Amino acid sequence: MTGKEYRTITDVKGPLVFLNKTEPVAFGEIVELRLTDGTLKNGQVLDTSDDQVIVQVFEGTASIDKQTGIKFLGDVFKLPVSTDMIGRILDGAGRPRDGGPAIVADEMADIIGAAINPYSRQSPSSFIQTGISAIDACTSLVRGQKLPIFSASGLPHNDIALQIARQAKLVDSDDDFVVVFCAMGITAEEYNFFVHDLERTGALENACLFVNLADDPAVERLITPRLALTAAEYLAFEHDYHVLVIYTDMTNYCESLRQIGAAREEVPGRRGYPGYMYTDLAMLYERAGLVKGKKGSITQFPILTMPGDDITHPIPDLSGYITEGQIVISRELHQKGIYPPINVLPSLSRLMNAGIGDGKTREDHKSVSDQLYAAYAQGRELRGLVAIVGEDALNERDLQLLKFADIFEDQFLRQSRDEDRSIGEGTLDYAWKLLSNIDTKYLVRLDQKWIDKYHPTDKKE
Amino acid sequence: MSKENGVIYRISGPVVTAVGISPRMYEVVRVGDEGLMGEVIELHGDQSVIQVYEETSGVRPGEPVVRTGQTLSVQLGPGLLTKIYDGIQRPLPELEKTMGVFIKRGVDADGLDLEKIWDFNATAKKGDSVSSGDVIGTVQETKTIEHKVMVPPGVSGKIKDIKSGDFNVTQTVCTLEDGTEIQMMQKWPVRTPRPFTKKHAPEVPLQTGQRILDFLFPLAKGGTAGIPGPFGSGKTVTQQQLAKWSDADIVVYIGCGERGNEMTEVLDEFPHLMDPKTGEALMNRTTMIANTSNMPVAAREASVYTGITIAEYFRDMGYDVALMADSTSRWAEAMREISSRLEEMPGEEGYPAYLSSRLAEFYERAGRVETLAGGDGSVSVIGAVSPPGGDISEPVSQGTLRIVKVFWGLDAGLARQRHFPAINWLNSYSLYPPSLDQWYRDNIKGDFPEIRTEISALLQVEAELQEIVQLVGSDALPVDQQLTLEVARMIREFFLQQNAFHDVDTYSDLKLQYNMAKAILSFQEESKKAIAGGAALEDVVNIPARTDLMRGRFESGYEDKIDEMLEAMNKQIADTMEAN
């Protein structure tokens, strides 16, 4: 059905082009626009009827006039996929950005991606060691999970994401991860930082990048993560790779979604974001997981910056309802100079229990994690009390907990950007050592048998 | 019925407009060359607006639209239990067989296995006069559940012929004198409540084994409850606990727009769970509906209706059914999404103006009823709500709270302290105790309601004292108030906290709950005496027997040992007096 070119544009509004009476055009069909100066742009059909077709233009509508020719390409958006994508840098629409040749397609894959039948999923249960104690001990990540980083502007979420990408490994097998990195509207500087770091560590050879920068078309951002996930699915479920998908920044993606919604004059939901944002985000996040009978897996690390550090903002809020937990970056810890500034209290990994324990990490993991959590939470609460009544009013137990909160932040959380702690010696044993600053009788979350087995005999440092 | 063919005029996401047909409202139509399933949701001049249950990309104007003459219906009959369906009753394992691990479109699958042979055991006989809802025979559907084959609504007459034996669900098992043939399978439109004779007041509690729920905020059989809570506060775990442990005969679990991995966990776990009453797999009494967040939004909208229709069908057999919907907010969002595609005038926060009436209609399908056959059956509905930012002033929470009689308010703060279930005891409520108290007096203990009142009063007092403690520290309080704080802490840590993942602690029956509450009050009373007799508060609080009593709940056989432990505790408390 190629060939016919229409010049029936009636309206152009924001990123949208409206045109009259065409042949029957499919919903979701890909469109090529030829400007009067010969420039080509791409778009996709958002609404189609006998009388009118609405096209969303990925590169923006600048210079489009009513003489612009529009060709419908007869198919929905497909990405050429192949294992050659590993080691490549592609732009936000899937074209090479690294000066290399076009991807020779093994297959053309529909980028919308069908939902995985819940019955066909396999429960994620393999622990991934990130080498970061705060994550490994308290919000353990498992293969097939989607665990976003809730951050805010000015915080080192990129460093954390990179550290995870660099250090992530499975403890129960030698399989390596392939990283699919998806940039949405980040600055060239941030992008260079990522690429430079991946190059420095040699990880680039094992990565596939999809890049839409801040000055690239905003509308293109809506397809970039879909491309990345399509590539990830292909690698995971056709070629048995374990894929780690990092995308940044989801907030920019949602802004683009809102932009399109506004241009279509849709009825907005909260804060102007479209009412279907939950479904739209779910269509991305839910493309993580494992399926029965396939070796590969997709683990997702979306990064989002919370506008105004507000966790109830629609973007983190809707994300939190879909993802399996969250890692929350804290400005307070960052300002104290602690890296990684992960606040473990509001952080959560919903799949943690399935991935830890005897035979996976260590038998005492759950108890230790609960105890760290409880002691740190109480210690932090006491800080508030001390601010009012002073330390003198505290009893021995409270004093120890108060002190522990500082030790926890300063020694357990804090680690350097290239420090890779193993779960057993590096993280759990270390936790025991720090916990020994508290009298054993106050460690109520620890089973006696673990105390007997793991508590360092040289109590108190 | 006239079958007409029309064509597609417009496609906008899941909403398709067709011309050239004049269907009825809510009629099911087949859309496009692939025959995608859709439902008519608006008639507008010569245009029919259709919500399509499958992904629409690639569909073009001009493709055919075919009427089916039927409204969206489910197939009801033996074979519903142990099944896992999507939102429009397609069995997910069947879909996997026909299209692999990814859900593609245009595939039809029957809700019931039409080929499977069941052993039908006729209980009515030739010459009997039967009418709608009367049981004419039974089928042992699973090890624990006997499926009752009923005369479909709207049918009555004298039985001309009925026979026991092996049949599939579409074969005729009974013929009436007017020639009506009755099969084991019947169909029912999901948006229409199934008929019953009358509604009863709820008088029997739905026992869940969850202490805070059963003891402080009970739900009645046939009642409605809402669980609002921000993400991470434990809504899903609570819903799953209810699905596992509630003493309903049948459980219908609707995963509506939730996480795929979580649904998989349920699917993996349920077949291995044993029913504490029968010792058989819990799956034998369960039907699940899984429409995850990335599955088509229109099917999500339909999923709660599919679920409640199945629940009503088992109610009509005289069973107590518990239905969990996780989460109704996703259902409401599906309505919002479709409404906005229809360009309807929105109400609050973009939700359609009919949101609260839809919620009310849904919850109103719960209830304890006298069935058409004269028996007693109930549907209890427990809906999770996921308010944005945990703020329950939003329309879905508010619309739900206006209808439900029980409110289990989940609290992010409690969840953060790892107090689970993170149900806030100060703002949760249940309106059922007055109508259930008689049952407790008759079946558990005469003073059950009074003990409950004392426990909640203590928690209330604690909240007030805590405000003072925040300012001046607990040492500044008089000894009796310090004791009250200690007792309240015991209520919280020993009684309200319950570990869903612990083999023993995960379930406590009402009798044990009563004994535990009694033990706490007994501690308070004995301690008061001891302190009045000169004992130091610290000594009383630190007696080892109290820790034993509290830790005991993690050991099996606790219900037999608790009295003994209580005695030991009381003795040690008394001893503290002599020590001084």
Side-chain angles (χ1 to χ4, degrees):
Chain A
M1 199 165 10
T2 48
K4 255 192 194 169
E5 195 172 275
Y6 290 86
R7 289 178 198 279
T8 52
I9 292 180
T10 55
D11 296 288
V12 180
K13 203 176 342 173
L16 302 182
V17 167
F18 298 71
L19 65 158
N20 267 347
K21 195 82 186 141
T22 58
E23 76 219 66
V25 172
F27 178 71
E29 191 167 334
I30 287 301
V31 178
E32 192 178 270
L33 299 96
R34 184 186 299 277
L35 270 55
T36 35
D37 65 358
T39 328
L40 289 180
K41 291 190 179 216
N42 296 294
Q44 188 175 17
V45 175
L46 276 193
D47 194 320
T48 168
S49 72
D50 280 350
D51 304 321
Q52 193 185 46
V53 175
I54 305 176
V55 174
Q56 132 188 343
V57 183
F58 297 138
E59 290 90 348
T61 45
S63 312
I64 288 181
D65 59 13
K66 294 197 172 177
Q67 303 312 312
T68 300
I70 295 191
K71 229 193 236 178
F72 296 98
L73 302 182
D75 206 349
V76 293
F77 205 121
K78 289 194 170 155
L79 176 75
V81 285
S82 134
T83 48
D84 295 341
M85 298 173 102
I86 301 172
R88 295 294 304 274
I89 303 177
L90 307 169
D91 72 4
R95 294 168 299 228
R97 191 192 171 97
D98 52 5
I103 303 291
V104 181
D106 271 354
E107 207 178 283
M108 296 297 288
D110 187 342
I111 66 157
I112 298 298
I116 300 176
N117 186 331
Y119 180 77
S120 310
R121 278 179 185 269
Q122 195 186 323
S123 283
S125 63
S126 308
F127 174 73
I128 296 175
Q129 178 182 306
T130 64
I132 297 175
S133 289
I135 297 175
D136 287 354
C138 299
T139 50
S140 314
L141 174 69
V142 299
R143 197 166 64 190
Q145 186 171 14
K146 40 194 179 293
L147 191 62
I149 298 180
F150 284 9
S151 188
S153 40
L155 297 178
H157 41 266
N158 289 342
D159 298 68
I160 297 173
L162 275 169
Q163 190 167 1
I164 292 168
R166 226 166 31 228
Q167 300 180 348
K169 60 172 165 286
L170 296 164
V171 285
D172 59 0
S173 81
D174 294 332
D175 297 340
D176 265 338
F177 282 102
V178 169
V179 174
V180 170
F181 176 80
C182 169
M184 293 169 286
I186 61 171
T187 61
E189 199 182 319
E190 283 174 295
Y191 164 69
N192 288 337
F193 173 73
F194 270 104
V195 172
H196 179 75
D197 193 86
L198 291 171
E199 255 171 1
R200 178 176 68 87
T201 55
L204 198 57
E205 287 163 33
N206 249 337
C208 173
L209 278 61
F210 288 85
V211 182
N212 167 285
L213 296 185
D215 57 351
D216 287 335
V219 182
E220 192 183 82
R221 254 159 242 167
L222 295 178
I223 57 165
T224 311
R226 294 190 160 76
L227 300 176
L229 289 164
T230 304
E233 272 171 4
Y234 174 78
L235 294 172
F237 301 135
E238 302 293 328
H239 291 279
D240 298 341
Y241 284 101
H242 294 298
V243 185
L244 193 64
V245 183
I246 297 175
Y247 32 119
T248 182
D249 176 334
M250 282 311 288
T251 307
N252 295 335
Y253 173 84
C254 294
E255 299 287 333
S256 293
L257 208 59
R258 178 163 69 174
Q259 193 185 337
I260 291 287
R264 295 184 65 184
E265 295 175 4
E266 288 169 347
V267 178
R270 266 208 310 154
R271 300 217 191 167
Y273 292 96
Y276 49 80
M277 192 157 89
Y278 177 82
T279 308
D280 193 277
L281 289 174
M283 306 263 293
L284 302 178
Y285 293 141
E286 278 291 335
R287 291 170 83 174
L290 291 83
V291 298
K292 287 179 192 152
K294 310 256 183 191
K295 276 203 199 123
S297 65
I298 298 178
T299 309
Q300 289 189 14
F301 257 113
I303 297 172
L304 58 89
T305 46
M306 299 182 282
D309 294 12
D310 176 12
I311 200 168
T312 68
H313 184 279
I315 299 171
D317 192 56
L318 294 179
S319 295
Y321 276 119
I322 307 165
T323 55
E324 281 130 2
Q326 64 278 339
I327 294 173
V328 181
I329 312 284
S330 146
R331 193 175 295 282
E332 181 204 330
L333 289 172
H334 179 61
Q335 280 163 352
K336 279 187 181 173
I338 292 167
Y339 173 90
I342 295 170
N343 185 355
V344 299
L345 298 183
S347 299
L348 170 76
S349 165
R350 289 167 185 273
L351 302 181
M352 175 166 175
N353 286 339
I356 63 169
D358 198 14
K360 285 168 178 160
T361 53
R362 213 167 73 182
E363 53 195 359
D364 58 326
H365 190 151
K366 177 86 177 99
S367 292
V368 171
S369 159
D370 285 350
Q371 183 62 64
L372 285 174
Y373 208 95
Y376 178 55
Q378 290 173 43
R380 269 180 71 120
E381 217 165 275
L382 287 166
R383 283 182 189 163
L385 190 62
V386 167
I388 302 171
V389 297
E391 275 194 26
D392 296 345
L394 298 188
N395 59 27
E396 178 59 22
R397 173 177 173 274
D398 289 351
L399 273 174
Q400 289 186 11
L401 289 170
L402 183 71
K403 201 173 137 219
F404 177 78
D406 294 335
I407 295 175
F408 179 81
E409 287 174 1
D410 197 50
Q411 299 182 35
F412 193 73
L413 291 186
R414 188 199 295 278
Q415 63 187 86
S416 73
R417 282 169 169 73
D418 45 18
E419 186 179 353
D420 189 357
R421 296 186 186 163
S422 70
I423 177 68
E425 284 168 17
T427 293
L428 292 178
D429 284 352
Y430 194 39
W432 275 100
K433 185 167 163 242
L434 300 181
L435 283 170
S436 69
N437 285 292
I438 304 175
D439 266 359
T440 317
K441 67 176 172 203
Y442 302 134
L443 299 176
V444 290
R445 304 263 176 153
L446 292 170
D447 288 355
Q448 191 58 43
K449 54 184 171 182
W450 306 144
I451 293 181
D452 295 342
K453 194 165 171 188
Y454 294 104
H455 197 285
T457 39
D458 54 327
K459 286 182 195 172
K460 302 257 176 185
E461 282 173 295
Chain B
M1 185 211 61
S2 62
K3 256 199 181 164
E4 306 160 57
N5 294 350
V7 291
I8 297 175
Y9 166 75
R10 175 183 172 194
I11 303 136
S12 171
V15 174
V16 166
T17 310
V19 290
I21 49 170
S22 43
R24 290 179 295 154
M25 271 299 268
Y26 299 119
E27 183 172 335
V28 171
V29 291
R30 295 286 169 181
V31 176
D33 294 333
E34 290 175 90
L36 309 181
M37 192 170 167
E39 186 182 16
V40 176
I41 50 169
E42 192 177 288
L43 298 174
H44 185 69
D46 58 348
Q47 296 185 343
S48 314
V49 181
I50 300 158
Q51 62 174 352
V52 179
Y53 293 121
E54 296 172 82
E55 172 63 40
T56 51
S57 63
V59 177
R60 292 165 197 279
E63 288 187 18
V65 176
V66 182
R67 287 183 62 180
T68 65
Q70 287 180 330
T71 50
L72 184 66
S73 304
V74 285
Q75 298 179 340
L76 301 167
L80 287 168
L81 297 175
T82 74
K83 282 282 169 30
I84 153 131
Y85 294 116
D86 76 352
I88 45 175
Q89 214 206 6
R90 298 186 301 179
L92 291 172
E94 292 303 310
L95 295 186
E96 186 189 69
K97 263 183 229 156
T98 48
M99 52 197 178
V101 297
F102 291 102
I103 296 183
K104 306 208 178 77
R105 57 190 193 188
V107 178
D108 243 344
D110 285 298
L112 296 180
D113 185 342
L114 304 186
E115 305 300 321
K116 181 161 179 175
I117 302 295
W118 298 93
D119 182 10
F120 175 75
N121 179 17
T123 54
K125 54 186 189 304
K126 188 176 169 181
D128 284 359
S129 280
V130 292
S131 59
S132 306
D134 285 346
V135 176
I136 54 168
T138 60
V139 167
Q140 195 66 38
E141 183 174 351
T142 64
K143 260 189 178 161
T144 45
I145 300 295
E146 188 181 65
H147 194 105
K148 294 173 183 158
V149 178
M150 295 173 290
V151 177
V155 175
S156 63
K158 220 171 203 175
I159 296 177
K160 187 171 137 203
D161 189 25
I162 182 166
K163 44 187 187 280
S164 298
D166 290 343
F167 299 97
N168 69 30
V169 292
T170 55
Q171 284 170 325
T172 300
V173 292
C174 174
T175 316
L176 301 184
E177 279 184 344
D178 64 358
T180 309
E181 296 183 337
I182 298 174
Q183 294 86 23
M184 281 194 270
M185 180 175 84
Q186 43 176 288
K187 285 189 174 180
W188 189 261
V190 296
R191 294 185 198 278
T192 313
R194 285 176 64 87
F196 52 85
T197 308
K198 67 174 183 218
K199 272 200 180 172
H200 291 306
E203 284 158 0
V204 181
L206 182 79
Q207 296 176 51
T208 67
Q210 310 305 304
R211 293 188 288 265
I212 185 164
L213 307 186
D214 283 356
F215 199 79
L216 292 183
F217 311 110
L219 173 63
K221 281 184 176 152
T224 51
I227 321 182
F231 62 81
S233 59
K235 270 188 305 298
T236 301
V237 175
T238 309
Q239 287 274 36
Q240 291 178 3
Q241 284 294 91
L242 292 170
K244 285 178 201 165
W245 304 120
S246 62
D247 71 336
D249 301 308
I250 306 286
V251 168
V252 178
Y253 189 92
I254 309 171
C256 175
E258 288 289 307
R259 304 176 179 89
N261 278 335
E262 227 161 55
M263 221 47 232
T264 308
E265 202 184 304
V266 175
L267 298 179
D268 281 353
E269 194 182 18
F270 262 64
H272 303 293
L273 289 173
M274 294 299 146
D275 185 333
K277 283 183 302 178
T278 61
E280 292 296 332
L282 274 177
M283 203 61 199
N284 282 332
R285 63 164 197 183
T286 309
T287 296
M288 284 197 209
I289 294 166
N291 211 82
T292 56
S293 53
N294 57 340
M295 286 158 78
V297 64
R300 192 197 306 164
E301 196 269 333
S303 65
V304 295
Y305 294 107
T306 300
I308 198 141
T309 307
I310 293 173
E312 285 176 337
Y313 175 67
F314 281 104
R315 173 202 70 191
D316 292 347
M317 294 179 206
Y319 287 120
D320 290 319
V321 186
L323 177 136
M324 287 93 199
D326 184 16
S327 149
T328 56
S329 293
R330 306 298 160 229
W331 171 50
E333 277 162 16
M335 277 190 251
R336 172 165 75 182
E337 189 169 334
I338 289 158
S339 161
S340 107
R341 301 268 185 187
L342 294 177
E343 292 164 13
E344 288 173 342
M345 184 68 89
E348 246 178 299
E349 291 194 20
Y351 285 105
Y354 46 78
L355 171 73
S356 62
S357 59
R358 289 279 168 87
L359 284 168
E361 280 163 23
F362 168 68
Y363 281 104
E364 202 49 28
R365 288 174 76 169
R368 193 169 138 249
V369 305
E370 183 181 323
T371 63
L372 293 179
D376 199 13
S378 71
V379 174
S380 316
V381 174
I382 300 145
V385 185
S386 318
D391 171 13
I392 61 165
S393 65
E394 55 91 40
V396 183
S397 302
Q398 287 304 311
T400 305
L401 289 182
R402 278 207 298 277
I403 310 153
V404 299
K405 299 282 187 294
V406 177
F407 167 65
W408 293 324
L410 290 164
D411 189 310
L414 288 174
R416 232 171 281 141
Q417 292 162 26
R418 294 298 191 258
H419 174 111
F420 288 113
I423 293 168
N424 185 324
W425 50 89
L426 296 174
N427 69 7
S428 298
Y429 61 79
S430 163
L431 301 181
Y432 289 115
S435 40
L436 300 177
D437 279 351
Q438 198 52 47
W439 187 94
Y440 291 122
R441 290 188 206 281
D442 296 345
N443 292 279
I444 306 294
K445 254 298 175 6
D447 61 349
F448 189 100
E450 286 72 29
I451 300 286
R452 177 182 51 224
T453 313
E454 268 188 73
I455 295 280
S456 10
L458 274 166
L459 290 167
Q460 202 65 49
V461 172
E462 186 205 20
E464 289 160 19
L465 289 179
Q466 282 295 356
E467 283 178 22
I468 304 172
V469 171
Q470 292 295 323
L471 295 176
V472 297
S474 62
D475 287 351
L477 294 181
V479 170
D480 63 326
Q481 290 188 343
Q482 288 189 32
L483 177 67
T484 305
L485 284 180
E486 195 53 45
V487 172
R489 194 166 71 91
M490 191 169 171
I491 299 174
R492 284 188 283 115
E493 293 181 359
F494 165 61
F495 191 77
L496 299 184
Q497 280 190 24
Q498 191 168 1
N499 186 345
F501 302 102
H502 193 282
D503 294 343
V504 177
D505 196 34
T506 184
Y507 178 88
S508 301
D509 68 20
L510 271 177
K511 187 98 192 155
L512 178 62
Q513 295 183 18
Y514 171 83
N515 285 335
M516 288 169 78
K518 263 302 246 207
I520 295 170
L521 294 179
S522 159
F523 169 75
Q524 183 186 29
E525 207 169 305
E526 296 300 317
S527 303
K528 259 188 199 159
K529 275 191 223 155
I531 290 169
L537 174 69
E538 192 156 303
D539 295 341
V540 173
V541 168
N542 285 331
I543 53 165
R546 186 169 75 120
T547 318
D548 293 344
L549 177 89
M550 287 167 68
R551 286 229 172 115
R553 72 182 195 278
F554 294 112
E555 285 159 27
S556 51
Y558 184 50
E559 56 275 20
D560 304 324
K561 285 183 280 188
I562 185 166
D563 284 342
E564 209 176 295
M565 290 170 145
L566 180 61
E567 229 165 87
M569 180 180 80
N570 289 347
K571 187 170 175 306
Q572 285 190 7
I573 296 175
D575 289 347
T576 56
M577 226 170 352
E578 279 148 38
N580 277 310

